[in-house]
Amino acid sequence: MHHQPATVRRVTIVDVARHAGVSTTAVSKVLRNAYGTSSQMRSRVNAAVDELGYRPSAAARALRGRTWTLGVMLPDVRNPFFADILDGVAEHLDGTEYQLFMTSGCDDVTSEARVTEAMIDRSMDGLILIAPVSRPAHLERVGRTVPTVVIGRHSRSTGFDTVNDDDFAGAGLMVAHLAGLGHRRIAHIEHRETDPVRLAEMPNALRADGYRHAMLSHGLGEHIDIVSTGYTRDGGYHGARILLDRPVPPTAIFAGADVVALGVLDALTEAGLSVPGDISVSGYDDITLAGFRPISLTTVDQGGHRIGTTAIRLLLDRITDPGRPAARVKLAPTPVVRATTGPPR
Amino acid sequence: MHHQPATVRRVTIVDVARHAGVSTTAVSKVLRNAYGTSSQMRSRVNAAVDELGYRPSAAARALRGRTWTLGVMLPDVRNPFFADILDGVAEHLDGTEYQLFMTSGCDDVTSEARVTEAMIDRSMDGLILIAPVSRPAHLERVGRTVPTVVIGRHSRSTGFDTVNDDDFAGAGLMVAHLAGLGHRRIAHIEHRETDPVRLAEMPNALRADGYRHAMLSHGLGEHIDIVSTGYTRDGGYHGARILLDRPVPPTAIFAGADVVALGVLDALTEAGLSVPGDISVSGYDDITLAGFRPISLTTVDQGGHRIGTTAIRLLLDRITDPGRPAARVKLAPTPVVRATTGPPR
DNA sequence: TTGAAAGCGCTAACAG
DNA sequence: CTGTTAGCGCTTTCAA
C-alpha cells in the first residue's frame, strides 16, 4: 500500500506457501476448501496461516474469484425501519465469510446510479437494493451484472429477485381499522410520486392505491383525501398542517410511514390537539419507536426483520445459482393497534 | 465474473486504449491525471472512455494503487446520532471520487476486529471508526496499516487522528443546568464500563466523570447516584426503573445519551409520572428526535455534523500525507434546554 | 511525451 | 493429490 513502509508488507499466499513448504495452489485450494487436498496438507497450510496471521487480499481475489463482499443500498439511515431489515440480513450472515457494507443517502436516480456502479466496480458478490427509485432498465442491468435482490419495489423484472410487503393490503387493513372505529373523514399522507413507472411499483404508491380502494369499498369514496409530501418527518409535519387547514379537517390521518406519522404528531402537538381525542393518527412500518410508550403509535407491521432474512436467503441462493428464475416474494402485513387511534368525537 | 456470461464482459483499460489508439499506460495516466500527458491525448482518451462507458475496476486498482473507497464503522445504526456524523462526512465527499461504505453492529472487541480487518482486506484507502471499543494496541495497528480517524474515543495514540466532543465539560453543563433549576438529587445513567482503558477513553466514561466532578463542585457530592446500564433505549428504561425504586428517588435524571433518555421517558410514562412536573429528564447528543415536539428533550448538543466534517477533513489530509503527526480535535458541546427539565416540586 | 513490460496477490487450467 | 503456469485489470518503472 502506498502509505505504509515496506517493512510491514502484508503476508501473502506466497509467504504461506513457502512457510508450509507447499505450492501456492495448495494454499489457495485449502483456503477455499476446494476439491483435492489431503488432510495432511490442510493441517500444514492452516498452521502456516495461523502462524503468519495471513489474511487473503479481497482485492486480488476479486480479479479471479469472489470478494465475499455484499452491498446494501439504503435510501436513508434516518428511517429506523431499515435497521430492522439490516438486522434480518446480518443474522443470516453470521458464521459465513461474507462481509456486508452499506451505503446511505441515495435519494435520486443519479446518486443511486453512482452507488450501484460503485458497488459493481468493487466487484461485490451480491447486492441488496432497498426501495430504489431507479428506472427499471437500470435495475435490470444491475441484476444482469451481479446477483441482486430488490426490497420495496413491486417490479415484474426477471433479472433479480424481489421481496415486498403487500402494501396494498396493508393500507386496506388500516383503513378498515379506522372505519371500524367510526371514522369517515380519513385522510392519507403519501410520498409524492409522478413517474408513471414508480407509480406502479413503489410501496408508497401502492399504499395510496390501497387506501383509495379501501375507502371506496367502505363507501367512503367522497371522503378520499390524499396529501402528497414525502416519507420523512418533515413531510408528515407539512402534510398535517395542510390537512388541519381544510374547511372540514379529517378525524383520522393515516400516514404512509411511521416517520411521517411522527411528523403528524409533531404538528398536532404544536396545534394543541389531543391524540386520539381530537384526531386519530396511524402510520406504517412498525418501527421500534412506534412501541415507545409516550408515542404508542397505531401502525402496520410489515415485518422488517423477516424481509431482511428473506432477502439475504434469496441473495445467497442466487449467488450459488445465478441462472435460477427470479423469485417474487410478497409478505403479509399485520395491523398493530396502539394508543393513537380511537373513535372520533 | 463467475456469474455472468462472457458476452457482457466488462470494458477494460485495454479496450479503451485500443479504441483511442494509444497505450494502456496513456489511459491510466489520463485517468489519474498523472504527470506527462498532452492535452490532445487527454481528449482522445476521455472520448474513448465516454464512448465505451468505461469504468475502472476498483479491484484491479487495489493491487497497485488506491481503491477510492473509505470505510466507516458505526456501532449501531439505530442510534440516530450517528446519522448526523455521516451527514457531515458525506457532505465533504461530494464531488470527489471517493465512495463511502459503512458497517454496523459492532458491539464487542471481536466483531470490531472482524470489521476492521475486513476493511483492510478490501484495501480501503481510509477508515473512520466511531466509538470503537477495541484495545488501544489494535487501534494503533489499524492506524499504522491504513489512514484512520477515530471518533468518540479520547485516546492519546499517535497512529491515528481523533475527533471528540468534550464529554467531561458537556456533562458539567447539564449538571449546572439542573442544579441551577434547584435540583439536588440528580441521578445519572451511564453505559456500563469495566475495562480500565476504556474507563479513561470512552465518551460514556468521561460523561460519568464529568457528572461526578460537577456534582462535587456544586456541593452535591452526597447526592451522586450513578446507575450503570447501556447506551440504548432499553438501558434507559431499566435504569429509570432502578432509580424510581430508590427509597428517595431523584428529582432529575441525566441520561448519558438521548436514546437512553427516551427509555427513561418510556419508564416514567409507564409509572404515570409527569415530566418535568414530577421529575426532570435530560439526555446527551441532541439527536433530531430530541427536537420533536411531543418529546422536546433537554440535552447537550455535541454537534454531530461538525464532528463528521472534521473527521473526513482529517482523513483526506492523512491519506495525502500519512506521515503528519496525529491530530487530536476536541469540540465544545452546548446545552440545549427544551421541555423535559424544570424546577423540582 | 509516450509505450513496453513487469508485477500486485490470487485462482484455475492443465500436467504430472 | 500436487505443482507449474498463465493470466485477471491495473499502475509503474524505465527506455525510447
Side-chain angles (χ1 to χ4, degrees):
Chain A
M1 261 172 268
H2 61 288
H3 52 268
Q4 63 178 259
T7 49
V8 283
R9 213 193 88 251
R10 229 184 129 92
V11 176
T12 74
I13 201 172
V14 179
D15 300 318
V16 176
R18 191 158 32 213
H19 193 260
V22 298
S23 71
T24 57
T25 308
V27 178
S28 174
K29 277 185 177 167
V30 170
L31 255 38
R32 294 171 295 119
N33 43 63
Y35 184 79
T37 50
S38 64
S39 69
Q40 184 201 354
M41 162 135 293
R42 276 197 295 275
S43 54
R44 290 182 63 177
V45 168
N46 285 325
V49 165
D50 288 347
E51 282 173 43
L52 268 45
Y54 166 76
R55 297 192 51 96
S57 152
R61 280 185 153 177
L63 251 47
R64 295 316 237 107
R66 50 178 65 177
T67 55
W68 299 102
T69 306
L70 303 179
V72 176
M73 182 183 85
L74 48 161
D76 178 16
V77 256
R78 290 207 136 78
N79 189 333
F81 171 62
F82 300 130
D84 294 341
I85 297 181
L86 285 174
D87 280 349
V89 172
E91 190 184 286
H92 256 244
L93 249 31
D94 270 351
T96 74
E97 269 204 72
Y98 285 106
Q99 177 66 45
L100 199 75
F101 288 102
M102 42 189 196
T103 59
S104 171
C106 310
D107 37 6
D108 56 59
V109 176
T110 313
S111 61
E112 262 190 32
R114 218 166 30 74
V115 164
T116 50
E117 292 305 321
M119 289 175 161
I120 292 171
D121 292 346
R122 282 156 187 80
S123 313
M124 291 188 171
D125 292 335
L127 265 41
I128 294 179
L129 310 181
I130 303 182
V133 296
S134 295
R135 291 176 41 229
H138 177 72
L139 296 179
E140 202 77 59
R141 192 151 41 75
V142 170
R144 235 177 307 129
T145 309
V146 51
T148 302
V149 176
V150 172
I151 293 176
R153 177 130 176 183
H154 300 257
S155 150
R156 36 175 192 66
S157 305
T158 56
F160 50 85
D161 303 324
T162 57
V163 181
N164 281 288
D165 169 61
D166 189 344
D167 297 289
F168 186 89
L173 291 172
M174 188 48 71
V175 171
H177 164 66
L178 293 167
L181 285 169
H183 290 277
R184 299 178 59 79
R185 295 198 306 282
I186 303 168
H188 180 61
I189 302 180
E190 70 164 355
H191 181 89
R192 162 162 280 120
E193 197 66 81
T194 53
D195 180 275
V197 174
R198 291 203 294 268
L199 222 33
E201 298 190 353
M202 297 299 290
N204 43 297
L206 288 188
R207 288 175 199 171
D209 272 355
Y211 158 82
R212 225 175 267 116
H213 179 88
M215 288 295 278
L216 286 169
S217 68
H218 283 277
L220 302 174
E222 61 183 311
H223 296 299
I224 289 176
D225 186 0
I226 300 184
V227 174
S228 294
T229 58
Y231 271 11
T232 60
R233 202 133 65 73
D234 251 23
Y237 176 82
H238 289 114
R241 295 290 301 268
I242 292 171
L243 288 170
L244 292 179
D245 280 349
R246 297 264 195 258
V248 185
T251 61
I253 300 179
F254 166 33
D258 284 352
V259 288
V260 176
L262 293 181
V264 172
L265 292 175
D266 201 357
L268 298 183
T269 303
E270 187 187 38
L273 294 170
S274 84
V275 174
D278 295 318
I279 188 165
S280 285
V281 176
S282 69
Y284 203 111
D285 286 346
D286 198 24
I287 60 177
T288 333
L289 202 62
F292 177 52
R293 277 185 196 81
I295 293 178
S296 287
L297 181 70
T298 292
T299 184
V300 178
D301 181 10
Q302 53 168 318
H305 189 273
R306 197 171 31 135
I307 291 178
T309 56
T310 307
I312 188 66
R313 196 169 41 70
L314 287 173
L315 186 60
L316 296 181
D317 269 14
R318 177 160 292 273
I319 289 174
T320 309
D321 174 17
R324 80 144 159 67
R328 205 166 315 298
V329 177
K330 194 188 276 188
L331 300 168
T334 51
V336 180
V337 177
R338 295 204 181 88
T340 54
T341 50
R345 270 273 143 83
Chain B
M1 258 173 271
H2 62 286
H3 52 269
Q4 61 179 265
T7 48
V8 284
R9 214 194 86 251
R10 227 184 131 91
V11 176
T12 74
I13 200 171
V14 178
D15 302 317
V16 176
R18 191 161 29 217
H19 193 260
V22 298
S23 71
T24 58
T25 310
V27 178
S28 174
K29 277 184 178 167
V30 171
L31 255 38
R32 294 171 295 118
N33 43 62
Y35 184 80
T37 50
S38 64
S39 67
Q40 184 202 355
M41 162 135 294
R42 275 196 296 274
S43 53
R44 289 183 64 177
V45 169
N46 285 326
V49 165
D50 288 347
E51 282 172 43
L52 267 47
Y54 167 74
R55 298 193 49 97
S57 151
R61 281 185 153 177
L63 251 46
R64 299 311 240 107
R66 49 178 67 176
T67 54
W68 300 100
T69 306
L70 304 180
V72 175
M73 182 183 84
L74 49 162
D76 177 17
V77 256
R78 292 207 136 78
N79 189 332
F81 171 63
F82 300 130
D84 295 341
I85 298 181
L86 285 174
D87 281 348
V89 172
E91 190 183 287
H92 256 242
L93 248 34
D94 270 351
T96 74
E97 269 205 71
Y98 284 106
Q99 177 65 44
L100 199 75
F101 288 102
M102 44 190 194
T103 59
S104 172
C106 310
D107 38 5
D108 57 60
V109 176
T110 312
S111 61
E112 263 190 31
R114 217 164 33 74
V115 164
T116 51
E117 292 305 321
M119 289 175 161
I120 292 171
D121 293 345
R122 282 154 186 82
S123 311
M124 291 189 171
D125 292 335
L127 265 42
I128 294 179
L129 310 181
I130 303 183
V133 297
S134 295
R135 293 177 39 230
H138 177 72
L139 296 178
E140 204 77 59
R141 191 150 43 75
V142 170
R144 236 176 305 128
T145 308
V146 51
T148 301
V149 175
V150 172
I151 292 176
R153 175 128 178 185
H154 301 258
S155 150
R156 36 175 193 68
S157 304
T158 56
F160 50 84
D161 303 322
T162 58
V163 181
N164 281 290
D165 169 61
D166 190 343
D167 298 289
F168 187 89
L173 291 171
M174 188 46 71
V175 172
H177 164 67
L178 293 168
L181 286 169
H183 290 277
R184 299 178 58 77
R185 294 198 307 282
I186 304 169
H188 180 61
I189 301 179
E190 69 164 357
H191 182 88
R192 163 162 281 120
E193 197 65 83
T194 52
D195 179 275
V197 173
R198 291 204 292 266
L199 222 31
E201 298 189 353
M202 297 300 289
N204 44 298
L206 289 187
R207 288 174 199 172
D209 273 355
Y211 158 81
R212 228 176 263 116
H213 179 87
M215 289 294 279
L216 286 169
S217 69
H218 284 277
L220 302 174
E222 59 182 312
H223 295 300
I224 289 176
D225 186 1
I226 300 184
V227 174
S228 294
T229 58
Y231 271 12
T232 60
R233 202 134 65 74
D234 251 21
Y237 176 82
H238 289 115
R241 297 289 301 268
I242 292 171
L243 288 170
L244 293 179
D245 279 348
R246 298 265 195 258
V248 186
T251 61
I253 299 179
F254 165 33
D258 284 352
V259 287
V260 177
L262 293 181
V264 172
L265 293 174
D266 201 357
L268 298 183
T269 303
E270 187 187 38
L273 294 170
S274 83
V275 174
D278 296 319
I279 188 165
S280 285
V281 176
S282 70
Y284 203 112
D285 287 346
D286 198 24
I287 60 178
T288 332
L289 202 62
F292 177 52
R293 276 184 196 82
I295 293 178
S296 287
L297 181 69
T298 294
T299 186
V300 178
D301 180 11
Q302 54 167 319
H305 189 272
R306 199 171 28 135
I307 290 178
T309 56
T310 308
I312 189 64
R313 198 169 40 70
L314 287 173
L315 186 59
L316 295 180
D317 270 13
R318 177 161 292 272
I319 289 174
T320 309
D321 175 16
R324 81 143 159 66
R328 206 167 313 301
V329 177
K330 195 189 277 187
L331 300 168
T334 52
V336 180
V337 177
R338 295 202 181 90
T340 55
T341 51
R345 272 270 143 82

